[in-house]
């Protein structure tokens, strides 16, 4: 079968009642070509860094005069101590390894190539001299001979700082690293200063080391709880929805009642003149403030109750979708491994990316720094912009990997939804979905991930500028900068949500990105109230699931640590466990959320092209069929009327949600 073959038009199989076609067509081929050319550029950057010696210099190391350790070097113009034969000197030794420049992330010290790292503490220059003569490893700058270590005038700047701590070379990078961890006390100073004395920090770290078995056990418990939650959440969704509704109604009405009661109480006290003149002014201000708060809370509560009233029937769709999502995981259990595969892919790519970035840091032409007299490697001309190209590659390829997971999930879930006889499905649906994505739709996810990259890059640039100008810019500039960052953040989230639905439309109809995005947007607009209900109620249910997993894990941790009283400080072990539990729960339940979103779009497509009549039977599950039948019995005209009445209300709700998101982001 050819790559771009397609036996049917994009919607014929839906109209004719057939199942999801196995023969698909390639989508967005030009974007796949662009993405492949971009990746070739990333490979070229890596090759350039290796060819110019950046990789070898990073691995073998080099001294402050441009000599690569472990090899014979060429002379660098203007640097007298360059061009030395360092074939026998394979290790990099820093005269002051503890002098760290945290801002520029480097060691502020002269680096030398030595034949052996000092394996003992050297307290005097005489001991340094004896070590050099005995081992043939000069620890002072090359122009100072070992016999002059004790008397040379520059020994305080060009010889190692006393006492010289014992060190050993790293296995791969050949740097002499001090074995005494106290050498890096300055590096941890920012972390240690949050406690009054080091004994507290030692007790906290000791608690982590001593309770490592408990931490590992609780992390496994969080993993098991996440799997159990995914299995049972479809059965408790209805209960959680009712609890949510009751809490919202009671909380909002109770809050309004309290505000009006406080207003009446303060107004009565003000009318009775029971306070002094100053107290009277304060009471008057409080009365005005309480009146404003009470009115705003009343309006908000009325709108909220109306939204709940009109959406009460649509909540049933959310419950049905969660029920079907549970069945999806029964038929497609390998879906739960998708986050792990994505995480592993991201980790491998990030390791590659960081390695190439380090290679680039030691690539280029050796240039003498006139202020220090030492040699630095710099890329000049157009090659200096390769770092920015590399940064864009980090964002685009990372988004591409995430989009690959979304497309794979969409293909697998759509295949499940549009297959009438589930027993006829392939035994490896996830693997089949991955192969279909690779064969047909890499161009689509390349285009979608590039759109996110275009929005994310300026947002990150503005965020960086904001962090650099913190405390220096005026209030107006700060406000404008925050507003731009917030707008780009909102745009990025909206595009990410639209991209996810576009991938689902591509999985269903095998159309290109723009066509799929347009189709998905129309479907979302036509089902705006249902989308709002699923995103609010569904997100709350999943959030409650995450909280339940974290709370259960934390409670189990408290009980486990309580039976071992020698752990006097529990804060860090419990914090590690809770963070891990939340991340695991988020990974698993986020997959559940993605499945629900895909199922909803499949449901919307099913309702659009099918009407349940003979020859046009629905593909949907029985629980979703019951929802459709109940809607028909209640009258579709009434539902359309409700939707018209709710348009203004939905706009208000969206505005409030965006405002809250802005406040959280700015805060």
């Amino acid at each position: 079968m050819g790559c771009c073959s397609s036996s049917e038009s994009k919607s014929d199989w839906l109209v004719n009642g057939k199942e999801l076609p196995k023969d698909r067509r390639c989508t967005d081929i030009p974007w796949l070509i662009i993405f492949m050319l971009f990746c070739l550029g990333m490979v070229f950057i890596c090759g350039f860094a290796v060819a110019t010696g950046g990789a070898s210099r990073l691995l073998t190391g080099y001294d402050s005069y441009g000599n690569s350790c472990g090899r014979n070097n060429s002379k660098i113009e203007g640097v007298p101590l360059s061009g030395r034969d360092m074939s026998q000197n394979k290790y990099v030794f820093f005269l002051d390894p503890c002098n760290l420049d945290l801002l520029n992330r480097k060691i502020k010290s002269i680096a030398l190539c030595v034949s052996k790292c000092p394996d003992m503490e050297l307290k005097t220059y005489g001991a340094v001299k004896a070590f050099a003569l005995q081992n043939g490893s000069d620890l002072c700058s090359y122009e100072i001979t070992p016999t002059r270590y004790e008397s040379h005038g520059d020994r305080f700047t060009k010889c190692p700082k006393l006492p010289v701590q014992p060190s050993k070379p790293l296995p791969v990078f050949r740097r002499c690293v001090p074995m005494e961890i106290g050498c890096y006390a300055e590096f941890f100073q920012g972390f240690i200063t949050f406690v009054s004395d080091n004994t507290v920090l030692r007790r906290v770290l000791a608690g982590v080391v001593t309770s490592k078995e408990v931490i590992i056990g609780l992390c496994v418990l969080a993993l098991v709880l996440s799997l159990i939650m995914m299995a049972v959440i479809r059965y408790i969704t209805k209960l959680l929805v009712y609890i949510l509704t009751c809490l919202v109604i009671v909380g909002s009405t109770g809050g309004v009642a309290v505000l009006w009661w406080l207003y009446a109480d303060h107004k009565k006290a003000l009318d009775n003149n029971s306070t002094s003149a100053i107290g009277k002014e304060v009471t008057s201000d409080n009365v005005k403030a309480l009146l404003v708060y009470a009115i705003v809370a009343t309006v908000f509560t009325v709108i909220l109750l109306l939204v709940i009233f009109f959406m009460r029937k649509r909540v049933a769709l959310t419950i049905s979708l969660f029920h079907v999502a549970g069945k999806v995981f029964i038929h497609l259990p390998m879906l739960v491994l998708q986050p792990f595969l994505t995480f592993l892919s991201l980790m491998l790519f990030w390791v590659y990316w960081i390695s190439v970035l380090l290679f680039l840091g030691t690539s280029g032409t050796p240039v003498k720094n006139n202020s220090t007299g030492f040699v630095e490697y710099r890329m000049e001309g157009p090659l200096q912009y390769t770092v920015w190209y590399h940064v864009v590659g980090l964002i685009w390829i990372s988004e591409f990997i995430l989009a690959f997971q979304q497309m794979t999930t969409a293909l697998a879930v759509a295949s499940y939804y549009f297959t009438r006889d589930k027993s006829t499905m392939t035994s490896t649906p996830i693997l089949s979905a991955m192969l279909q994505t690779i064969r047909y739709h890499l161009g689509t996810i390349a285009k979608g991930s590039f759109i996110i990259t275009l929005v994310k890059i300026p947002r990150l640039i503005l965020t960086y500028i904001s962090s650099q100008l913190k405390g220096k810019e005026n209030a107006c500039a700060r406000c404008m900068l925050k507003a731009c960052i917030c707008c780009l953040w909102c745009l990025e989230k909206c595009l990410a949500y639209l991209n996810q639905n576009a991938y689902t439309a591509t999985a269903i109809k095998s159309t290109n990105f723009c066509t799929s995005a347009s189709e998905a947007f129309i479907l979302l607009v036509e089902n705006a109230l249902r989308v709002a209900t699923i995103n609010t109620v569904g997100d709350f249910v999943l959030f409650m699931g995450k909280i339940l997993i974290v709370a259960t894990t934390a409670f189990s941790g408290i009980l486990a640590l309580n039976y071992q009283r020698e752990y006097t400080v529990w804060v860090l072990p419990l914090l590690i466990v809770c963070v891990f539990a939340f991340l695991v729960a988020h990974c698993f339940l986020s997959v559940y959320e993605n499945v629900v979103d895909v199922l909803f779009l499949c449901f919307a497509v099913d309702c659009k092209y099918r009407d349940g009549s003979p020859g046009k039977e629905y593909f949907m599950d029985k629980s979703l069929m019951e929802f459709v039948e109940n809607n028909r019995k209640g009258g579709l005209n009434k539902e359309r009327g409700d939707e018209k009445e709710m348009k203004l209300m939905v706009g208000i709700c969206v505005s409030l949600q965006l405002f809250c998101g802005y406040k959280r982001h700015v805060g």
Side-chain angles (χ1 to χ4, degrees):
M1 188 71 62
C3 174
C4 299
S5 61
S6 179
S7 57
E8 303 182 54
S9 64
K10 59 186 179 181
S11 299
D12 285 348
W13 68 272
L14 283 168
V15 177
N16 297 331
K18 299 180 180 179
E19 297 183 353
L20 196 69
K22 299 295 186 289
D23 298 335
R24 310 182 68 83
R25 67 186 184 91
C26 296
T27 54
D28 297 293
I29 297 177
W31 278 95
L32 176 59
I33 296 174
I34 293 173
F35 182 73
M36 293 177 66
L37 291 175
F38 182 86
C39 291
L40 285 176
M42 296 282 289
V43 174
F44 168 78
I45 291 176
C46 179
F48 166 78
V50 173
T52 55
S56 61
R57 274 191 289 269
L58 179 67
L59 294 176
T60 61
Y62 60 94
D63 62 16
S64 298
Y65 309 107
N67 300 300
S68 294
C69 300
R71 63 178 60 188
N72 194 5
N73 297 275
S74 302
K75 189 75 175 179
I76 300 175
E77 185 178 354
V79 184
L81 296 179
S82 63
R84 290 175 169 261
D85 185 3
M86 296 295 180
S87 302
Q88 302 301 319
N89 300 342
K90 299 180 180 180
Y91 305 106
V92 180
F93 175 74
F94 297 96
L95 301 187
D96 187 7
C98 303
N99 188 6
L100 302 178
D101 185 358
L102 300 181
L103 184 62
N104 295 315
R105 299 174 295 279
K106 64 181 181 180
I107 300 176
K108 296 171 59 177
S109 169
I110 296 177
L112 302 174
C113 293
V114 298
S115 59
K116 182 180 179 181
C117 299
D119 53 2
M120 63 185 74
E121 185 177 24
L122 307 176
K123 297 183 178 180
T124 64
Y125 288 114
V128 175
K129 170 185 173 182
F131 177 84
L133 293 175
Q134 181 179 356
N135 298 280
S137 184
D138 298 348
L139 301 184
C140 292
S141 187
Y142 305 133
E143 72 270 22
I144 305 176
T145 59
T147 55
R148 301 178 59 196
Y149 282 0
E150 297 179 275
S151 59
H152 198 280
D154 294 334
R155 65 183 181 276
F156 298 108
T157 57
K158 295 188 176 182
C159 285
K161 182 180 179 181
L162 299 179
V164 180
Q165 299 293 336
S167 59
K168 59 181 180 181
L170 290 174
V172 178
F173 293 97
R174 299 183 183 179
R175 268 71 169 181
C176 296
V177 179
M179 293 184 287
E180 176 57 45
I181 195 64
C183 171
Y184 301 102
E186 180 182 348
F187 180 78
F188 298 102
Q189 184 177 2
F191 174 70
I192 295 175
T193 52
F194 84 99
V195 292
S196 57
D197 59 88
N198 295 340
T199 58
V200 176
L201 180 62
R202 291 194 186 97
R203 290 202 306 271
V204 171
L205 295 177
V208 173
V209 174
T210 314
S211 59
K212 57 182 180 295
E213 293 85 2
V214 176
I215 294 175
I216 294 173
L218 292 173
C219 291
V220 174
L221 175 63
L223 182 63
V224 173
L225 288 175
S226 298
L227 293 173
I228 295 175
M229 180 61 65
M230 291 184 66
V232 304
I233 198 169
R234 64 174 177 149
Y235 299 110
I236 63 175
T237 304
K238 195 170 186 178
L239 176 63
L240 288 177
V241 168
Y242 288 149
I243 293 174
L244 166 65
T245 305
C246 293
L247 287 176
V248 168
I249 293 175
V250 173
S252 58
T253 54
V256 170
V258 169
L259 283 173
W260 282 112
W261 175 77
L262 289 174
Y263 167 74
D265 186 62
H266 282 68
K267 186 74 165 57
K268 183 179 180 181
L270 182 63
D271 294 339
N272 292 336
N273 296 321
S274 57
T275 57
S276 61
I278 298 178
K280 192 172 183 179
E281 293 180 1
V282 174
T283 304
S284 177
D285 292 338
N286 288 338
V287 167
K288 295 177 182 178
L290 285 171
L291 179 61
V292 173
Y293 292 155
I295 293 174
V296 172
T298 302
V299 173
F300 182 82
T301 301
V302 170
I303 294 175
L304 187 61
L305 293 177
L306 287 174
V307 170
I308 293 175
F309 175 75
F310 284 110
M311 287 188 173
R312 69 192 185 282
K313 294 181 180 179
R314 296 168 182 86
V315 171
L317 176 60
T318 304
I319 298 173
S320 299
L321 287 173
F322 270 75
H323 185 76
V324 177
K327 293 183 179 181
V328 170
F329 282 99
I330 293 175
H331 288 84
L332 310 175
M334 298 301 291
L335 271 177
V336 298
L337 296 181
Q338 281 289 96
F340 294 104
L341 294 176
T342 302
F343 177 77
L344 179 62
S345 301
L346 286 173
M347 286 297 103
L348 292 175
F349 170 67
W350 290 343
V351 168
Y352 163 81
W353 187 87
I354 293 173
S355 301
V356 175
L357 183 65
L358 294 175
F359 294 164
L360 290 174
T362 54
S363 299
T365 307
V367 178
K368 181 180 179 180
N369 189 325
N370 294 325
S371 61
T372 62
F374 301 138
V375 173
E376 298 176 353
Y377 287 90
R378 300 176 185 173
M379 289 185 293
E380 300 177 346
L383 293 176
Q384 62 184 323
Y385 300 107
T386 55
V387 175
W388 294 107
Y389 187 97
H390 197 56
V391 171
V392 174
L394 171 66
I395 301 174
W396 191 2
I397 297 178
S398 297
E399 292 294 331
F400 181 88
I401 294 173
L402 295 173
F404 184 88
Q405 175 188 330
Q406 294 175 347
M407 179 66 81
T408 302
T409 303
L411 274 168
V413 176
S415 298
Y416 169 85
Y417 185 96
F418 290 106
T419 300
R420 297 191 187 278
D421 185 3
K422 311 302 182 187
S423 62
T424 61
M425 292 183 61
T426 176
S427 58
T428 56
I430 304 300
L431 181 60
S432 299
M434 294 177 67
L435 293 176
Q436 285 183 339
T437 301
I438 294 172
R439 185 174 182 181
Y440 300 110
H441 303 307
L442 288 182
T444 298
I445 60 179
K447 186 174 184 178
S449 55
F450 180 75
I451 292 174
I452 299 297
T453 303
L454 283 181
V455 179
K456 183 167 286 189
I457 289 177
R459 181 176 68 83
L460 293 177
I461 293 175
L462 291 178
T463 303
Y464 175 77
I465 294 175
S466 176
S467 64
Q468 293 298 309
L469 298 179
K470 194 171 184 178
K472 301 178 182 179
E473 77 279 17
N474 56 43
C476 181
R478 182 171 61 252
C479 181
M480 292 179 63
L481 202 57
K482 292 288 186 182
C484 292
I485 294 173
C486 180
C487 291
L488 289 173
W489 178 81
C490 293
L491 178 60
E492 180 185 336
K493 296 302 178 184
C494 293
L495 289 175
Y497 182 71
L498 182 60
N499 276 10
Q500 181 180 342
N501 287 279
Y503 299 147
T504 303
T506 298
I508 296 173
K509 297 186 175 184
S510 193
T511 51
N512 60 39
F513 179 83
C514 291
T515 304
S516 300
S518 175
E519 178 78 12
F521 181 76
I522 293 173
L523 287 172
L524 293 175
V525 171
E526 291 175 348
N527 298 272
L529 287 178
R530 290 173 175 173
V531 173
T533 306
I534 292 170
N535 285 339
T536 52
V537 178
D539 288 350
F540 172 79
V541 171
L542 295 176
F543 177 75
M544 291 290 287
K546 297 174 187 177
I547 295 301
L548 181 61
I549 292 171
V550 174
T552 305
T553 306
F555 180 72
S556 302
I558 292 173
L559 293 180
L561 294 173
N562 186 51
Y563 281 104
Q564 303 179 33
R565 298 299 181 90
E566 63 268 22
Y567 308 142
T568 55
V569 181
W570 295 358
V571 56
L572 197 54
L574 282 179
L575 181 62
I576 292 173
V577 169
C578 290
V579 170
F580 181 83
F582 180 81
L583 291 176
V584 170
H586 178 73
C587 288
F588 279 96
L589 297 183
S590 293
V591 177
Y592 208 103
E593 181 182 5
N594 292 339
V595 171
V596 170
D597 290 337
V598 174
L599 284 173
F600 171 74
L601 205 67
C602 292
F603 169 78
V605 170
D606 199 8
C607 292
K608 182 175 182 179
Y609 290 96
R610 319 289 295 165
D611 58 9
S613 61
K616 291 187 177 181
E617 294 84 0
Y618 290 118
F619 287 95
M620 66 185 67
D621 187 83
K622 290 182 180 179
S623 57
L624 291 173
M625 193 84 70
E626 291 175 1
F627 169 79
V628 174
E629 293 299 328
N630 291 335
N631 266 2
R632 286 181 175 178
K633 292 178 182 178
L636 294 178
N637 292 332
K638 183 178 183 300
E639 183 178 338
R640 294 192 185 101
D642 290 343
E643 292 180 2
K644 290 180 180 179
E645 295 175 5
M646 285 294 295
K647 281 184 178 179
L648 178 60
M649 204 170 301
V650 170
I652 296 174
C653 293
V654 171
S655 301
L656 288 173
Q657 188 175 6
L658 289 175
F659 175 75
C660 294
Y662 170 77
K663 292 295 289 181
R664 286 197 302 269
H665 183 69
V666 174

